[in-house]
Amino acid sequence: MRGKSGVRRWVAFNAVGILGAVVQLSVLAALTHGAGLPYLPATALAVEAAVLHNFAWHQRWTWRDRQLESKRQVLDRLIRFHLLNGSISIVGNLTITTLLVSACGVDAVAANLTAILACSLVNFFGSNALVFADARPAQRASSSLLVAILLTGIAASPLSAVNMLPDLKAETLAAWTAYEQRVDARYARDTTPDRFFIEDQQPESPGWRQTARAGRVPMVRLRSASPGEPEPTVPDGRIHHWAGAVFVPNATLESVVTRLENGAGRESEAYDDVLQSKLLSRDGDRVRIFMKIRRSSIITVTYNTEHSVEYRRLGSTRASSRSVATKIAELADAGTPSERERPPGTDNGFLWRLNAYWRFEQVDGGVLVECESVSLSRSVPFLLRPIITGKVDGIARESLEKTLVSLRSSLARK
């Protein structure tokens, strides 16, 4: 494969691949969305349809200069095409699709499109060297050997790919607990005016007060439990630490805190992501509440959660609260008659822990409200990190921003 012939062959291969992708995605959509077939067998059938389609076009067009004389040779080539391209496509598609669907909840068709792109380059060079090569016996023997090597290398990964997604392990929980304790310690001690808001301590967020007063939501990602500390190492997990703020005009500190305390159990009236809520208990400035929450970004996930919240007054102009999720149960088939909580160890690991640290300060014209959100999820599988890490990190940010905007709107209502 050299020079212009190689370029033409590459263009032809990709043209066939695009048509094959259309075939594959159409078959997959028909089987999953139309016929209701589970995504794994539907993916296998869709890949097989695309493999047969692509072989026919590669035989007649992409490698038309390497035609074979006998039907036996064509059949041998088709077998090799299935062994190489079919295996790479089926194994690669099932592996990547399973990882994206199971780890990230991506729609099966979108996940499959990613898999198609990832497998195409390997398929081209493998086809050129091993499938549509000259049909000499020695060449066929070396092709078969290389195919066997390739199959041995990829056979270990596919349908067990979801096992790469770890459950909440003891070492993961230990790393989270250590991080949580450092955040708690800072929350408890930083009560002076110059060390009250965490955003005041971040060089990345200059002018955040003016931004909040202007009606926007200043957000900053915190990379450690306290300024100056190193980033945490969390085995098989990922900590998401964000802070954001809003300004509630024409409000007083006492009215804001009182409304929040008295509104415990009615969060579904204030926050867009809270579907149901209920007050479980009250003991002075301490409350326990139930909330069914929904998080939407790449996917939509619903949880039954319970939270322990404690308010504290810090003089006449400042107050704060700490909220800790004491239960997080991911729901299967949410919103349907078969809705149920997934047993521990069987959830997707999108949200394992969640703490929120709220700070309120009376200023001229209203109240500044800051929320510091710290959550724990499973780590992103290694192969998917270049693709989805940024999006996964953004989910916690988007959720916090929605919460702050909803709260501001609720408090602004008379």
Side-chain angles (χ1 to χ4, degrees):
M1 185 187 70
R2 295 179 181 176
K4 293 182 179 179
S5 63
V7 173
R8 285 195 296 267
R9 205 184 305 282
W10 171 247
V11 171
F13 178 85
N14 282 286
V16 172
I18 292 172
L19 291 175
V22 172
V23 170
Q24 181 170 324
L25 294 173
S26 299
V27 172
L28 181 65
L31 293 176
T32 55
H33 297 167
L37 198 67
Y39 74 88
L40 281 178
T43 297
L45 291 173
V47 170
E48 176 61 19
V51 166
L52 293 174
H53 166 275
N54 290 357
F55 176 78
W57 278 100
H58 289 326
Q59 174 79 3
R60 291 179 174 271
W61 182 30
T62 310
W63 282 278
R64 62 179 179 270
D65 57 319
R66 299 181 185 177
Q67 290 293 322
L68 299 174
E69 297 179 359
S70 70
K71 293 181 180 179
R72 176 65 180 272
Q73 290 176 322
V74 174
L75 179 61
D76 177 65
R77 176 175 281 180
L78 176 60
I79 292 172
R80 282 185 286 145
F81 188 78
H82 265 84
L83 285 173
L84 181 66
N85 287 53
S87 296
I88 290 173
S89 294
I90 291 176
V91 171
N93 274 269
L94 289 177
T95 299
I96 297 172
T97 300
T98 299
L99 283 170
L100 286 172
V101 172
S102 298
C104 310
V106 177
D107 178 78
V109 175
N112 201 230
L113 178 59
T114 303
I116 290 170
L117 296 174
C119 294
S120 63
L121 191 62
V122 178
N123 275 335
F124 173 71
F125 287 103
S127 294
N128 187 74
L130 306 178
V131 177
F132 294 94
D134 293 335
R136 296 187 297 271
Q139 180 67 43
R140 286 202 304 269
S142 64
S143 296
S144 299
L145 178 61
L146 286 172
V147 168
I149 293 172
L150 283 170
L151 291 178
T152 300
I154 62 179
S157 62
L159 293 179
S160 61
V162 74
N163 293 329
M164 296 169 61
L165 308 174
D167 294 326
L168 179 55
K169 297 180 179 179
E171 54 266 36
T172 311
L173 184 56
W176 161 262
T177 301
Y179 193 88
E180 177 189 43
Q181 289 173 347
R182 293 197 298 276
V183 176
D184 285 345
R186 173 172 52 78
Y187 168 76
R189 70 172 181 265
D190 287 356
T191 59
T192 58
D194 61 333
R195 297 188 65 82
F196 182 55
F197 290 112
I198 187 61
E199 288 184 84
D200 278 337
Q201 305 174 44
Q202 306 301 313
E204 301 93 336
S205 57
W208 69 270
R209 292 169 180 260
Q210 291 76 15
T211 300
R213 282 179 170 273
R216 299 191 296 275
V217 184
M219 302 285 295
V220 61
R221 182 182 179 188
L222 308 177
R223 300 186 180 276
S224 60
S226 292
E229 292 187 1
E231 290 192 42
T233 298
V234 184
D236 295 323
R238 192 172 186 87
I239 288 176
H240 310 274
H241 195 170
W242 289 88
V246 291
F247 177 67
V248 185
N250 305 316
T252 65
L253 176 68
E254 186 59 31
S255 67
V256 166
V257 176
T258 299
R259 286 184 64 178
L260 290 175
E261 284 194 276
N262 292 342
R266 300 201 304 273
E267 286 76 13
S268 57
E269 300 173 10
Y271 301 103
D272 292 340
D273 286 351
V274 180
L275 306 180
Q276 298 175 19
S277 57
K278 180 174 63 175
L279 178 64
L280 299 178
S281 66
R282 183 187 296 274
D283 179 13
D285 287 332
R286 298 181 180 181
V287 295
R288 288 181 58 249
I289 55 177
F290 162 83
M291 289 192 291
K292 177 185 284 188
I293 63 175
R294 176 179 58 205
R295 283 195 163 184
S296 300
S297 186
I298 308 174
I299 52 162
T300 297
V301 188
T302 307
Y303 304 91
N304 282 342
T305 66
E306 294 180 8
H307 304 258
S308 176
V309 186
E310 181 176 6
Y311 290 86
R312 61 178 184 172
R313 265 73 171 180
L314 301 169
S316 60
T317 60
R318 293 190 304 279
S320 65
S321 70
R322 173 179 177 268
S323 171
V324 176
T326 56
K327 172 184 175 179
I328 299 176
E330 183 180 327
L331 298 180
D333 300 324
T336 71
S338 59
E339 175 181 295
R340 63 197 182 280
E341 294 183 0
R342 294 183 184 273
T346 65
D347 61 64
N348 288 297
F350 301 136
L351 184 63
W352 278 330
R353 294 291 186 273
L354 176 63
N355 289 8
Y357 304 83
W358 292 86
R359 300 174 181 90
F360 313 90
E361 184 176 69
Q362 182 78 59
V363 296
D364 290 340
V367 176
L368 274 174
V369 180
E370 180 190 70
C371 183
E372 180 182 354
S373 173
V374 191
S375 59
L376 174 70
S377 71
R378 75 181 349 148
S379 59
V380 178
F382 177 77
L383 294 176
L384 301 181
R385 288 176 189 173
I387 304 172
I388 65 170
T389 294
K391 190 64 176 175
V392 169
D393 288 339
I395 293 174
R397 181 193 189 282
E398 293 169 14
S399 178
L400 175 57
E401 186 172 9
K402 288 179 183 178
T403 296
L404 286 164
V405 171
S406 296
L407 176 66
R408 180 179 60 192
S409 299
S410 175
L411 292 173
R413 293 196 294 267
K414 300 298 184 182

